[in-house]
Amino acid sequence: MAKKPTPDFESTLKELEAIVNHLEAGDLPLEEALNEFETAVKLVQQGQERLQNAEQRIQILLNKNEQADLVDYE
């Protein structure tokens, strides 16, 4: 069976925001709220992984150009 493609970061973030709004409304039965929360945790983990991968790619690109200065993002 083919693996389901992972959504991009922006799609993951939008889905997470929708779940948070749904949970904050407070009108879900407990079991459904728990399922939504579980999905949200998985989405957060996917988002963190994508951000870490992006950071690694940036580091690799900057290491190829040793004259590029690293500065903190404000």
Side-chain angles (χ1 to χ4, degrees):
M1 182 184 289
K3 186 177 178 182
K4 183 178 175 183
T6 306
D8 61 13
F9 180 77
E10 290 77 11
S11 298
T12 300
L13 190 58
K14 284 181 184 178
E15 187 176 351
L16 182 59
E17 288 173 346
I19 290 172
V20 168
N21 289 333
H22 205 202
L23 288 171
E24 285 179 341
D27 57 354
L28 294 175
L30 178 61
E31 203 57 43
E32 189 175 339
L34 286 172
N35 288 336
E36 289 285 308
F37 182 76
E38 184 177 1
T39 300
V41 169
K42 289 177 185 178
L43 290 171
V44 167
Q45 290 170 340
Q46 287 176 2
Q48 286 177 330
E49 184 178 324
R50 287 199 172 269
L51 287 174
Q52 288 171 344
N53 289 340
E55 184 177 5
Q56 288 174 349
R57 288 176 62 191
I58 290 168
Q59 288 295 334
I60 289 169
L61 291 170
L62 289 176
N63 285 337
K64 287 183 180 180
N65 183 1
E66 294 178 7
Q67 295 177 354
D69 292 329
L70 287 176
V71 295
D72 289 333
Y73 181 77
E74 295 180 14

